[in-house]
Amino acid sequence: MPSSNYFYSCLRLCFQLPNWVKWGIVLFICSIYSILFYNLFVSPTGFRWRAIYGDPDYPAGYTIHGIDVSRYQGSINWNRLRNAMIERSPIRFIIIKSTEGGNHIDTNFRENFSNAKEAGFIRGAYHFWSNNSTARRQAYYFLAMVHLEPGDLPPVLDIENKPQNISTEEFQQNILTWLHIVEDKYHVKPIIYT
């Protein structure tokens, strides 16, 4: 058991170190942990953290900026948002999550939709595509829950992933079905947000 004795000797030596050295070791270990955590978990999915830290790479030459909001932003301070700037340009439009799938409405949609208009923003509503409902059911649910008015942005379809169990062509046809149903109602081509 020489390795066990070696371990206990090292442990005894650590307890005899001055406090400033112990704190230095703890800070070093925390720094290494933070670097590893960032590189392994945060950096590969960095786009998910943009809502917290902002996206520093906006297209050059564009002065019209907007944001999307949903229940994940919680209660929004619309007066403060009215004066918010992105790259020295004011926020002009808000796209608000309305529905998801064939039976889910964002809990903050109605409040956000109303408040965005009162705050003077151009507003829009987006439907989050779900692979668990048919295209028709999702389109008609969106139309039942969202009542766009003149001056609002065209309806938006947010598509994040394709189901593995159908072909690309079938998936495209499903998306087109949603787009055609919604276009027939509003007489404007929907925006695809992906």
Side-chain angles (χ1 to χ4, degrees):
M1 293 209 179
S3 62
S4 176
N5 288 337
Y6 178 74
F7 173 75
Y8 288 119
S9 298
C10 290
L11 192 59
R12 218 175 295 118
L13 179 64
C14 286
F15 282 114
Q16 294 173 357
L17 293 173
N19 280 341
W20 67 271
V21 173
K22 291 177 191 174
W23 279 107
I25 291 169
V26 167
L27 288 174
F28 176 76
I29 291 170
C30 288
S31 298
I32 295 297
Y33 174 80
S34 297
I35 290 168
L36 288 173
F37 181 81
Y38 178 82
N39 287 323
L40 295 174
F41 297 105
V42 176
S43 183
T45 59
F47 67 93
R48 296 172 192 241
W49 296 81
R50 288 184 188 152
I52 298 171
Y53 298 109
D55 186 353
D57 298 325
Y58 293 100
Y62 290 90
T63 57
I64 299 175
H65 295 292
I67 61 172
D68 74 67
V69 299
S70 69
R71 69 181 176 88
Y72 295 107
Q73 279 71 48
S75 181
I76 296 170
N77 183 335
W78 291 95
N79 288 326
R80 187 172 176 200
L81 190 59
R82 186 181 295 143
N83 298 318
M85 305 285 272
I86 298 174
E87 297 281 311
R88 287 177 267 145
S89 296
I91 293 174
R92 301 270 175 87
F93 66 90
I94 311 283
I95 299 180
I96 303 156
K97 181 180 180 182
S98 59
T99 53
E100 180 174 338
N103 60 2
H104 174 75
I105 187 163
D106 187 284
T107 53
N108 292 3
F109 170 65
R110 288 188 176 91
E111 179 183 354
N112 286 339
F113 201 64
S114 173
N115 289 339
K117 185 174 185 175
E118 286 180 24
F121 290 107
I122 298 169
R123 65 185 182 173
Y126 74 90
H127 172 80
F128 190 87
W129 180 267
S130 169
N131 295 320
N132 299 324
S133 298
T134 67
R136 288 186 180 285
R137 180 177 173 98
Q138 292 186 63
Y140 288 122
Y141 184 69
F142 175 80
L143 294 176
M145 296 295 118
V146 177
H147 305 290
L148 297 174
E149 299 173 2
D152 290 339
L153 292 170
V156 179
L157 178 60
D158 182 359
I159 308 163
E160 300 294 329
N161 54 51
K162 179 186 103 44
Q164 300 299 318
N165 60 343
I166 65 172
S167 69
T168 300
E169 293 76 23
E170 187 178 351
F171 184 57
Q172 289 171 338
Q173 190 57 50
N174 289 340
I175 298 301
L176 279 172
T177 298
W178 190 97
L179 295 171
H180 288 310
I181 291 170
V182 173
E183 183 178 353
D184 285 347
K185 161 75 175 185
Y186 287 113
H187 306 290
V188 64
K189 289 195 177 299
I191 298 169
I192 296 176
Y193 176 37
T194 188

